Amino acid sequence: MGIKIRTIIGAQLLWALAVNFSHAEPVLQDMQWPNSATECEACLPVQFGPLEMQLSPSDVQKVLVISSEHSGLNLFFDENQHAIFQTVSVNERFASYRASEKLNCVPTSSPIEFFEFLGKPAQNDSCSEIARAVEGISRATDYLRYQKGSLQIYWIKSTLPEAQYLHFILEDSEEIYQLSGDVSEDTFRAIVGRLNVVEIP
Amino acid sequence: MYGETEEQKQQIKELIQDYFRFARVHPVFDGEINDKVAEVFGIMLDETSKCSTVFKLVPGPAGLKPGIVWLATQIAQGAFRNMFSQISVTCARGVIFKFRRELDMASMGVAFLHGGKSKWA
């Protein structure tokens, strides 16, 4: 009977430890810029701001732009998989942070500084905890950074396939480009593997 | 905050959650409902209807303070009864991805849209 009770208590302790440590909040990890897995067959250049992608019919079924302030560039990978590119000015993106006393620990002088801050281990203060919660870091599985030349991409990765958030930051740009929605590893490779920063013609 | 009830807050929360599910955006909003959340969500609905090129879903507050009572009144008057058959999923998704952060911040009581300037003004 004594052994049985100790076994039960031990199992409960292990379970409690597992619950507490089952989800450690991610910190920022550097990743290698992806190479496109496939050759570009019949690719069409699709440009969103200065971001030029080479997309083939096997990558994307449909591209949609709606004439609305918040619609952005919609990419349909199949009838159920959709992601959207949107843009926001740096000032607009950080306005709420700058206006809030509770979020005054968050650096907002540059987007890179901001996204780097989010990637630091959770500090024991409510400000950084709130910022990481609001930006989805606290519930993410990974927080990844890719860099190529003047472009950095910060990927807040979720276990939910439809809940991916990627932020594209160009050095010295006043705009932040966000890709949100269904972004798989293959989709990411297809979009980013053949991505170039170009002038707007 | 005058005259709002827990029932009104629950109705608003359910509407927000239905909207998230309609747009297939997860995780579905599960925060606290307050006047700022109601105001942000009202703006989201307005933006969604503009994008979907349907008639205005949400009349402006027109004398009422934009918040729980205002939005709950719209719900009670059936303003959103047929909403999900009228708006575009793509539009709803775009609006949520754009405003999600502000909705969460409003729910936590830490910040409000664009530093506090009401878009209804």
Side-chain angles (χ1 to χ4, degrees), chain A residues 22-72:
Chain A
S22 61
H23 178 65
E25 287 193 10
V27 294
L28 191 57
Q29 297 174 63
D30 275 310
M31 305 293 287
Q32 199 168 2
W33 193 269
N35 289 318
S36 172
T38 58
E39 288 299 313
C40 199
E41 291 177 11
C43 270
L44 182 72
V46 176
Q47 187 171 343
F48 184 68
L51 306 175
E52 184 188 78
M53 300 161 271
Q54 299 288 337
L55 300 176
S56 74
S58 59
D59 298 323
V60 174
Q61 243 183 33
K62 185 175 187 174
V63 177
L64 168 67
V65 176
I66 306 171
S67 56
S68 164
E69 189 182 344
H70 301 296
S71 62

Side-chain angles (χ1 to χ4, degrees), chain A residues 70 79 110 151 181:
Chain A
H70 301 296
E79 57 188 50
S110 83
L151 178 63

